[in-house]
Amino acid sequence: MEHFDLDKALQAQLHAPTPGPAPELDAALKAKLWQRQEQLDAEPDARAVSLWWLPMVANFIVCGVPAVIFALPIMPLWAHLASFALAWLAVGGVALTFISLRMADLRAATTIYLPKRTRKKEGF
């Protein structure tokens, strides 16, 4: 049986010249990279924060918390009726938010753009 020297085979492969990509592929790749870089340069230096959930949460807090307080057993009948109405208003606000997400462009309308975070420079 013939002895196979793995070290010599690895060294031969490591020192063998490797063929590069075809010139057409190289040119296409460079064109895509340049296009992507132009897109990144065209984008504003800001990050988008969508606040679509804020009206829903505010409505739920404004209507839901009093509804829970008015629903306590020690409250009179009118408070229980107000609690029922406030609970339906809170649920209605959540439903309206999800309907407007579906039917209107609420996410785009409630998006704010903040400057991108940068690392703090040491010193000052």
Side-chain angles (χ1 to χ4, degrees):
M1 191 170 192
E2 189 175 316
H3 179 68
F4 181 71
D5 192 6
L6 185 60
D7 288 332
K8 286 183 183 177
L10 284 174
Q11 287 297 329
Q13 284 298 321
L14 285 174
H15 294 298
T18 57
E24 300 85 21
L25 179 63
D26 194 31
L29 246 158
K30 284 182 183 177
K32 283 185 181 181
L33 283 173
W34 286 332
Q35 249 181 352
R36 180 66 182 142
Q37 187 62 39
E38 287 175 0
Q39 284 176 351
L40 289 174
D41 290 342
E43 290 177 3
D45 289 334
R47 57 189 170 102
V49 177
S50 181
L51 298 175
W52 65 268
W53 50 269
L54 191 61
M56 174 181 66
V57 170
N59 178 54
F60 201 73
I61 290 172
V62 167
C63 294
V65 171
V68 170
I69 293 172
F70 287 161
L72 293 174
I74 59 172
M75 293 292 185
L77 179 63
W78 65 267
H80 288 280
L81 295 175
S83 171
F84 183 73
L86 285 169
W88 275 110
L89 282 173
V91 170
V94 172
L96 277 175
T97 301
F98 285 114
I99 289 170
S100 63
L101 278 174
R102 192 102 174 137
M103 304 303 260
D105 199 11
L106 183 66
R107 282 201 174 121
T110 58
T111 300
I112 60 172
Y113 296 95
L114 301 172
K116 284 191 177 181
R117 293 182 197 166
T118 57
R119 293 185 179 215
K120 292 182 180 177
K121 294 180 182 177
E122 292 187 28
F124 294 98

